[in-house]
Amino acid sequence: MTKFLLSLHVLAAIVAVGPVTVAASMFPAAARRVPVPVGGAGGGRDGGGADAGDVRTVRLLHRICRVYAGLGIAVPVLGFATAASMGVLGDGWLITSVTLTAVAAGLLAAFVLPRQEELLGQLADGQPVERARTVRLAMFTGLFNLLWATVTILMIVRPGSTTGA
């Protein structure tokens, strides 16, 4: 049962967290590339503002982040089930991983997704976005990705690993 749970946990991480990390990383640059009308505001959602195709790309990236973040709940649920099956719920590496996962989820929910929504709203209304705002979003996204990379490393190279590595 442990191997089955571990397999589901790893698959959930790949399928759910992978797309969020990629789409969130692409979002700031995609938002910067959306052309805005000369003079700033105007246009709006009826096609008179920013190029509809470019805004659709940014909207798609945000949707990927939102949907797969929701699916990502399966990762810690399956992780706890796997850890319980392995008898490692009290191990330091797991507690650290759970803490970093919670911080990453909080960062995504409190900083990444809301900032994406704000920028998407601006772009859909034909307003230019400040580069500083996309840079801050990229910073939060980078921290989110760094936390997930750290959790991944802890899961692979955990203290007391029986893999011999």
Side-chain angles (χ1 to χ4, degrees):
M1 184 60 136
T2 299
K3 290 182 181 183
F4 177 71
L5 288 171
L6 181 59
S7 297
L8 289 179
H9 173 62
V10 171
L11 284 171
I14 292 167
V15 170
V17 179
V20 175
T21 59
V22 173
S25 295
M26 293 172 66
F27 188 97
R32 281 192 294 267
R33 284 193 304 268
V34 174
V36 294
V38 177
R45 298 173 203 269
D46 60 2
D51 182 81
D54 292 327
V55 173
R56 279 194 305 262
T57 299
V58 175
R59 188 175 288 120
L60 175 64
L61 291 171
H62 175 62
R63 183 170 181 193
I64 290 169
C65 290
R66 269 188 336 195
V67 169
Y68 284 91
L71 295 175
I73 299 298
V75 177
V77 169
L78 291 165
F80 275 117
T82 303
S85 176
M86 293 173 65
V88 295
L89 283 173
D91 287 9
W93 65 269
L94 182 69
I95 293 168
T96 302
S97 294
V98 169
T99 302
L100 293 176
T101 298
V103 171
L107 193 61
L108 183 66
F111 294 99
V112 175
L113 293 176
R115 280 178 167 76
Q116 285 182 350
E117 288 173 13
E118 291 169 7
L119 290 173
L120 184 55
Q122 278 185 273
L123 293 170
D125 288 338
Q127 299 173 358
V129 296
E130 296 175 28
R131 181 169 175 78
R133 293 186 74 201
T134 60
V135 168
R136 277 192 298 277
L137 175 58
M139 177 194 65
F140 288 125
T141 300
L143 289 172
F144 170 78
N145 292 344
L146 181 62
L147 288 167
W148 274 116
T150 304
V151 169
T152 301
I153 291 167
L154 281 171
M155 292 291 160
I156 295 169
V157 188
R158 64 189 188 274
S161 171
T162 59
T163 62

